[in-house]
Amino acid sequence: WHVAWVDERCVPHSDPESNYGGAVEAWLSKVAIPASQVYAIDESLCGASGASEVSTRAAEEYERRLRAVPETSLPRGAEGMPAFDLLLLGFGPDGHICSLFPGHPLLADESGRWVLPISDSPKPPSQRITLSLPAVNAAAQVILVGTGAGKQDVVRHAFTPGCDLPCVRALGASPDVRPPIWVLDEAAAALLPAAQEDAPFEMTDIN
């Protein structure tokens, strides 16, 4: 396995806000994945310099490391984007994925960059790095995971035809063949009708 992050906060690994730190505690410390195949943000770049500089340097360094992964492990997809086998995405009550927030200019990025800096995240901490939307949509499979009553409204919105939230725009490379999979608990899915013939995604009860 090779493990990377779709986004990360520009904080030390020991910080409670660190996605890497949380993953180490939850499961990486319990599995035998070589450290050389786990791609954490370079915490030495997350210092006290200007906000924009911190996130920019961290994003550039992270993309360099991902681009150095052999194509046998990380193939290239459309327009040279990284074709991850699987992206496991959470989503916020506002519908954001990664650190791509509704209405943010990064959603329209067409620079060809895999990893983008964000220094004005509407959700603290403000300094982050994130996969670009084209990089998200080069993945072979996207899975979106949401739990709890706090996700009810955004889930209902996401399953409404015409919704343009970031979580709905995370489709992967071949949505007609491998559509996004939504994994929701009962609370998060509570406002969804039992059946929606015109829903943008197929729903299956796995209980």
Short mmCIF file of all heavy atoms in Angstrom, two decimals, residues 41-90:
data_model
loop_
_atom_site.label_atom_id
_atom_site.label_comp_id
_atom_site.label_asym_id
_atom_site.label_seq_id
_atom_site.Cartn_x
_atom_site.Cartn_y
_atom_site.Cartn_z
N ILE A 41 2.60 15.24 5.33
CA ILE A 41 3.10 16.58 5.07
C ILE A 41 4.43 16.77 5.81
O ILE A 41 4.67 16.18 6.86
CB ILE A 41 2.06 17.64 5.55
CG1 ILE A 41 2.41 19.03 5.02
CG2 ILE A 41 1.96 17.65 7.07
CD1 ILE A 41 1.33 20.07 5.30
N ASP A 42 5.33 17.54 5.22
CA ASP A 42 6.62 17.85 5.85
C ASP A 42 6.36 18.88 6.96
O ASP A 42 6.18 20.06 6.68
CB ASP A 42 7.60 18.38 4.82
CG ASP A 42 8.98 18.64 5.39
OD1 ASP A 42 9.14 18.63 6.64
OD2 ASP A 42 9.91 18.89 4.60
N GLU A 43 6.34 18.39 8.20
CA GLU A 43 5.99 19.29 9.30
C GLU A 43 7.04 20.38 9.53
O GLU A 43 6.74 21.39 10.17
CB GLU A 43 5.76 18.50 10.58
CG GLU A 43 6.96 17.75 11.10
CD GLU A 43 6.63 16.97 12.38
OE1 GLU A 43 5.64 17.29 13.05
OE2 GLU A 43 7.39 16.03 12.69
N SER A 44 8.24 20.18 9.00
CA SER A 44 9.27 21.21 9.18
C SER A 44 8.93 22.49 8.41
O SER A 44 9.48 23.55 8.69
CB SER A 44 10.63 20.70 8.73
OG SER A 44 10.71 20.58 7.31
N LEU A 45 8.02 22.37 7.43
CA LEU A 45 7.61 23.53 6.66
C LEU A 45 6.45 24.28 7.32
O LEU A 45 6.06 25.35 6.84
CB LEU A 45 7.20 23.11 5.25
CG LEU A 45 8.28 22.43 4.41
CD1 LEU A 45 7.73 22.01 3.07
CD2 LEU A 45 9.49 23.34 4.23
N CYS A 46 5.92 23.71 8.37
CA CYS A 46 4.74 24.30 9.02
C CYS A 46 5.15 25.17 10.19
O CYS A 46 4.75 24.97 11.33
CB CYS A 46 3.79 23.19 9.49
SG CYS A 46 3.21 22.15 8.15
N GLY A 47 5.99 26.14 9.88
CA GLY A 47 6.52 27.00 10.93
C GLY A 47 5.67 28.24 11.10
O GLY A 47 4.51 28.29 10.75
N ALA A 48 6.29 29.28 11.59
CA ALA A 48 5.57 30.50 11.98
C ALA A 48 5.68 31.61 10.94
O ALA A 48 5.35 32.76 11.22
CB ALA A 48 6.10 31.00 13.31
N SER A 49 6.14 31.28 9.72
CA SER A 49 6.26 32.33 8.71
C SER A 49 4.88 32.66 8.16
O SER A 49 3.88 32.10 8.58
CB SER A 49 7.20 31.88 7.58
OG SER A 49 6.75 30.66 7.01
N GLY A 50 4.83 33.59 7.17
CA GLY A 50 3.55 34.07 6.66
C GLY A 50 2.64 32.96 6.19
O GLY A 50 3.07 31.95 5.65
N ALA A 51 1.35 33.15 6.36
CA ALA A 51 0.36 32.11 6.08
C ALA A 51 0.46 31.60 4.66
O ALA A 51 0.50 30.39 4.41
CB ALA A 51 -1.04 32.64 6.35
N SER A 52 0.49 32.50 3.70
CA SER A 52 0.53 32.09 2.31
C SER A 52 1.81 31.32 2.00
O SER A 52 1.79 30.31 1.29
CB SER A 52 0.43 33.32 1.40
OG SER A 52 0.52 32.96 0.05
N GLU A 53 2.93 31.78 2.54
CA GLU A 53 4.21 31.12 2.29
C GLU A 53 4.21 29.70 2.85
O GLU A 53 4.71 28.77 2.21
CB GLU A 53 5.34 31.92 2.92
CG GLU A 53 6.71 31.27 2.73
CD GLU A 53 7.82 32.03 3.44
OE1 GLU A 53 7.56 33.14 3.93
OE2 GLU A 53 8.93 31.48 3.52
N VAL A 54 3.65 29.52 4.04
CA VAL A 54 3.63 28.19 4.67
C VAL A 54 2.89 27.20 3.79
O VAL A 54 3.40 26.13 3.45
CB VAL A 54 2.99 28.26 6.06
CG1 VAL A 54 2.69 26.86 6.59
CG2 VAL A 54 3.90 28.99 7.03
N SER A 55 1.67 27.52 3.40
CA SER A 55 0.87 26.58 2.64
C SER A 55 1.44 26.38 1.23
O SER A 55 1.40 25.26 0.70
CB SER A 55 -0.59 27.04 2.56
OG SER A 55 -0.70 28.35 2.04
N THR A 56 1.98 27.41 0.64
CA THR A 56 2.55 27.29 -0.71
C THR A 56 3.75 26.35 -0.70
O THR A 56 3.85 25.46 -1.55
CB THR A 56 2.96 28.67 -1.25
OG1 THR A 56 1.79 29.49 -1.37
CG2 THR A 56 3.63 28.55 -2.61
N ARG A 57 4.66 26.56 0.23
CA ARG A 57 5.85 25.69 0.31
C ARG A 57 5.46 24.25 0.62
O ARG A 57 6.01 23.31 0.04
CB ARG A 57 6.82 26.22 1.36
CG ARG A 57 7.50 27.53 0.99
CD ARG A 57 8.31 28.07 2.15
NE ARG A 57 9.31 27.12 2.61
CZ ARG A 57 9.93 27.19 3.79
NH1 ARG A 57 9.62 28.17 4.63
NH2 ARG A 57 10.84 26.31 4.13
N ALA A 58 4.50 24.08 1.52
CA ALA A 58 4.08 22.72 1.89
C ALA A 58 3.42 22.01 0.72
O ALA A 58 3.66 20.81 0.49
CB ALA A 58 3.14 22.78 3.08
N ALA A 59 2.60 22.73 -0.05
CA ALA A 59 1.94 22.12 -1.20
C ALA A 59 2.94 21.75 -2.28
O ALA A 59 2.86 20.66 -2.89
CB ALA A 59 0.88 23.07 -1.77
N GLU A 60 3.89 22.63 -2.54
CA GLU A 60 4.90 22.34 -3.56
C GLU A 60 5.74 21.13 -3.19
O GLU A 60 6.01 20.26 -4.02
CB GLU A 60 5.79 23.56 -3.77
CG GLU A 60 5.07 24.73 -4.43
CD GLU A 60 5.91 25.99 -4.46
OE1 GLU A 60 6.97 26.02 -3.76
OE2 GLU A 60 5.53 26.94 -5.16
N GLU A 61 6.14 21.06 -1.92
CA GLU A 61 6.95 19.92 -1.47
C GLU A 61 6.16 18.63 -1.52
O GLU A 61 6.69 17.58 -1.93
CB GLU A 61 7.46 20.19 -0.05
CG GLU A 61 8.56 19.26 0.43
CD GLU A 61 8.03 17.92 0.95
OE1 GLU A 61 6.85 17.87 1.35
OE2 GLU A 61 8.77 16.92 0.94
N TYR A 62 4.90 18.67 -1.13
CA TYR A 62 4.08 17.46 -1.12
C TYR A 62 3.86 16.95 -2.54
O TYR A 62 3.96 15.75 -2.81
CB TYR A 62 2.74 17.75 -0.44
CG TYR A 62 2.04 16.49 0.03
CD1 TYR A 62 2.54 15.76 1.10
CD2 TYR A 62 0.87 16.04 -0.58
CE1 TYR A 62 1.90 14.61 1.55
CE2 TYR A 62 0.23 14.90 -0.13
CZ TYR A 62 0.75 14.19 0.92
OH TYR A 62 0.13 13.05 1.37
N GLU A 63 3.60 17.86 -3.46
CA GLU A 63 3.41 17.43 -4.85
C GLU A 63 4.69 16.84 -5.42
O GLU A 63 4.64 15.84 -6.16
CB GLU A 63 2.94 18.59 -5.72
CG GLU A 63 2.72 18.18 -7.16
CD GLU A 63 1.94 19.20 -7.97
OE1 GLU A 63 1.14 19.98 -7.39
OE2 GLU A 63 2.12 19.22 -9.20
N ARG A 64 5.84 17.41 -5.10
CA ARG A 64 7.10 16.85 -5.57
C ARG A 64 7.26 15.40 -5.13
O ARG A 64 7.69 14.53 -5.90
CB ARG A 64 8.29 17.68 -5.08
CG ARG A 64 8.56 18.94 -5.87
CD ARG A 64 9.95 19.50 -5.59
NE ARG A 64 10.11 19.89 -4.19
CZ ARG A 64 9.83 21.09 -3.71
NH1 ARG A 64 9.33 22.03 -4.51
NH2 ARG A 64 10.04 21.38 -2.45
N ARG A 65 6.93 15.12 -3.88
CA ARG A 65 7.06 13.75 -3.38
C ARG A 65 6.08 12.80 -4.04
O ARG A 65 6.41 11.67 -4.35
CB ARG A 65 6.91 13.72 -1.86
CG ARG A 65 8.25 13.93 -1.16
CD ARG A 65 8.16 13.61 0.31
NE ARG A 65 7.32 14.57 1.00
CZ ARG A 65 6.45 14.27 1.95
NH1 ARG A 65 6.26 13.02 2.31
NH2 ARG A 65 5.76 15.21 2.55
N LEU A 66 4.86 13.26 -4.25
CA LEU A 66 3.90 12.39 -4.93
C LEU A 66 4.32 12.13 -6.37
O LEU A 66 4.19 11.00 -6.87
CB LEU A 66 2.51 13.03 -4.90
CG LEU A 66 1.80 13.11 -3.55
CD1 LEU A 66 0.40 13.69 -3.73
CD2 LEU A 66 1.72 11.74 -2.88
N ARG A 67 4.84 13.14 -7.04
CA ARG A 67 5.28 12.94 -8.42
C ARG A 67 6.47 12.00 -8.51
O ARG A 67 6.71 11.38 -9.56
CB ARG A 67 5.63 14.28 -9.06
CG ARG A 67 4.42 15.14 -9.42
CD ARG A 67 4.82 16.41 -10.12
NE ARG A 67 3.69 17.23 -10.50
CZ ARG A 67 2.99 17.11 -11.63
NH1 ARG A 67 3.32 16.16 -12.50
NH2 ARG A 67 1.97 17.91 -11.89
N ALA A 68 7.20 11.86 -7.40
CA ALA A 68 8.36 10.96 -7.38
C ALA A 68 7.96 9.50 -7.18
O ALA A 68 8.80 8.60 -7.34
CB ALA A 68 9.33 11.39 -6.29
N VAL A 69 6.71 9.24 -6.82
CA VAL A 69 6.25 7.86 -6.66
C VAL A 69 6.22 7.21 -8.03
O VAL A 69 5.66 7.77 -8.98
CB VAL A 69 4.84 7.81 -6.03
CG1 VAL A 69 4.34 6.38 -5.91
CG2 VAL A 69 4.85 8.48 -4.65
N PRO A 70 6.81 6.03 -8.20
CA PRO A 70 6.83 5.38 -9.52
C PRO A 70 5.42 5.17 -10.07
O PRO A 70 4.48 4.92 -9.32
CB PRO A 70 7.52 4.03 -9.24
CG PRO A 70 8.31 4.25 -7.99
CD PRO A 70 7.53 5.24 -7.17
N GLU A 71 5.29 5.27 -11.37
CA GLU A 71 3.98 5.11 -11.99
C GLU A 71 3.44 3.70 -11.84
O GLU A 71 2.23 3.49 -12.00
CB GLU A 71 4.04 5.51 -13.47
CG GLU A 71 4.26 7.00 -13.66
CD GLU A 71 4.03 7.44 -15.09
OE1 GLU A 71 3.11 6.88 -15.75
OE2 GLU A 71 4.76 8.33 -15.56
N THR A 72 4.29 2.75 -11.52
CA THR A 72 3.79 1.41 -11.23
C THR A 72 2.96 1.39 -9.95
O THR A 72 2.10 0.53 -9.77
CB THR A 72 4.96 0.42 -11.09
OG1 THR A 72 5.92 0.95 -10.16
CG2 THR A 72 5.63 0.18 -12.44
N SER A 73 3.21 2.34 -9.06
CA SER A 73 2.46 2.45 -7.82
C SER A 73 1.41 3.55 -7.87
O SER A 73 0.34 3.43 -7.27
CB SER A 73 3.40 2.71 -6.64
OG SER A 73 4.31 1.64 -6.47
N LEU A 74 1.71 4.64 -8.57
CA LEU A 74 0.77 5.75 -8.71
C LEU A 74 0.71 6.13 -10.18
O LEU A 74 1.43 7.00 -10.66
CB LEU A 74 1.21 6.94 -7.86
CG LEU A 74 0.28 8.17 -7.88
CD1 LEU A 74 -1.13 7.80 -7.46
CD2 LEU A 74 0.83 9.28 -6.98
N PRO A 75 -0.16 5.45 -10.94
CA PRO A 75 -0.27 5.75 -12.38
C PRO A 75 -0.72 7.18 -12.63
O PRO A 75 -1.26 7.84 -11.74
CB PRO A 75 -1.33 4.74 -12.87
CG PRO A 75 -1.43 3.70 -11.80
CD PRO A 75 -1.08 4.40 -10.51
N ARG A 76 -0.52 7.63 -13.84
CA ARG A 76 -0.99 8.94 -14.25
C ARG A 76 -2.27 8.77 -15.07
O ARG A 76 -2.37 7.88 -15.91
CB ARG A 76 0.05 9.69 -15.07
CG ARG A 76 1.43 9.78 -14.42
CD ARG A 76 1.39 10.43 -13.03
NE ARG A 76 2.73 10.72 -12.55
CZ ARG A 76 3.34 10.05 -11.58
NH1 ARG A 76 2.74 9.04 -10.97
NH2 ARG A 76 4.55 10.38 -11.19
N GLY A 77 -3.21 9.62 -14.81
CA GLY A 77 -4.48 9.57 -15.52
C GLY A 77 -4.60 10.70 -16.50
O GLY A 77 -3.61 11.17 -17.08
N ALA A 78 -5.83 11.17 -16.69
CA ALA A 78 -6.10 12.23 -17.65
C ALA A 78 -5.28 13.47 -17.34
O ALA A 78 -5.18 13.89 -16.19
CB ALA A 78 -7.59 12.57 -17.63
N GLU A 79 -4.67 14.03 -18.37
CA GLU A 79 -3.88 15.26 -18.26
C GLU A 79 -2.77 15.16 -17.24
O GLU A 79 -2.39 16.14 -16.61
CB GLU A 79 -4.80 16.46 -17.95
CG GLU A 79 -5.87 16.68 -19.02
CD GLU A 79 -6.77 17.86 -18.73
OE1 GLU A 79 -6.56 18.51 -17.69
OE2 GLU A 79 -7.67 18.12 -19.54
N GLY A 80 -2.25 13.93 -17.03
CA GLY A 80 -1.11 13.73 -16.15
C GLY A 80 -1.44 13.76 -14.68
O GLY A 80 -0.52 13.81 -13.84
N MET A 81 -2.71 13.70 -14.32
CA MET A 81 -3.10 13.72 -12.92
C MET A 81 -2.83 12.36 -12.26
O MET A 81 -2.78 11.33 -12.94
CB MET A 81 -4.58 14.08 -12.78
CG MET A 81 -4.88 15.53 -13.09
SD MET A 81 -4.19 16.60 -11.82
CE MET A 81 -4.17 18.18 -12.66
N PRO A 82 -2.66 12.33 -10.94
CA PRO A 82 -2.38 11.07 -10.24
C PRO A 82 -3.63 10.21 -10.17
O PRO A 82 -4.67 10.65 -9.68
CB PRO A 82 -1.95 11.52 -8.84
CG PRO A 82 -2.69 12.82 -8.65
CD PRO A 82 -2.75 13.47 -10.00
N ALA A 83 -3.53 8.98 -10.67
CA ALA A 83 -4.69 8.08 -10.69
C ALA A 83 -4.66 7.17 -9.46
O ALA A 83 -4.29 5.99 -9.53
CB ALA A 83 -4.72 7.26 -11.98
N PHE A 84 -5.05 7.71 -8.32
CA PHE A 84 -5.12 6.90 -7.10
C PHE A 84 -6.14 5.78 -7.27
O PHE A 84 -7.18 5.97 -7.92
CB PHE A 84 -5.51 7.77 -5.91
CG PHE A 84 -4.44 8.71 -5.43
CD1 PHE A 84 -4.44 10.04 -5.82
CD2 PHE A 84 -3.44 8.26 -4.58
CE1 PHE A 84 -3.44 10.91 -5.37
CE2 PHE A 84 -2.45 9.12 -4.13
CZ PHE A 84 -2.45 10.44 -4.53
N ASP A 85 -5.85 4.63 -6.68
CA ASP A 85 -6.82 3.53 -6.73
C ASP A 85 -8.10 3.90 -6.00
O ASP A 85 -9.20 3.54 -6.43
CB ASP A 85 -6.23 2.27 -6.08
CG ASP A 85 -5.09 1.68 -6.88
OD1 ASP A 85 -5.12 1.79 -8.13
OD2 ASP A 85 -4.17 1.10 -6.27
N LEU A 86 -7.95 4.59 -4.88
CA LEU A 86 -9.11 4.90 -4.03
C LEU A 86 -8.88 6.19 -3.28
O LEU A 86 -7.81 6.40 -2.72
CB LEU A 86 -9.33 3.77 -3.02
CG LEU A 86 -10.35 4.02 -1.91
CD1 LEU A 86 -11.76 4.13 -2.48
CD2 LEU A 86 -10.28 2.91 -0.86
N LEU A 87 -9.88 7.05 -3.28
CA LEU A 87 -9.89 8.22 -2.41
C LEU A 87 -11.04 8.06 -1.43
O LEU A 87 -12.20 7.91 -1.85
CB LEU A 87 -10.06 9.52 -3.21
CG LEU A 87 -8.92 9.93 -4.13
CD1 LEU A 87 -9.21 11.30 -4.74
CD2 LEU A 87 -7.57 9.94 -3.42
N LEU A 88 -10.73 8.10 -0.16
CA LEU A 88 -11.73 8.02 0.90
C LEU A 88 -11.94 9.43 1.42
O LEU A 88 -11.05 10.01 2.05
CB LEU A 88 -11.24 7.09 2.01
CG LEU A 88 -12.21 6.76 3.14
CD1 LEU A 88 -13.42 6.01 2.61
CD2 LEU A 88 -11.51 5.93 4.21
N LEU A 89 -13.10 9.99 1.14
CA LEU A 89 -13.36 11.39 1.42
C LEU A 89 -14.41 11.56 2.50
O LEU A 89 -15.51 11.00 2.40
CB LEU A 89 -13.84 12.11 0.16
CG LEU A 89 -12.98 12.04 -1.10
CD1 LEU A 89 -13.65 12.80 -2.24
CD2 LEU A 89 -11.58 12.59 -0.84
N GLY A 90 -14.10 12.35 3.49
CA GLY A 90 -15.14 12.87 4.36
C GLY A 90 -15.73 14.11 3.69
O GLY A 90 -15.20 14.61 2.70
#
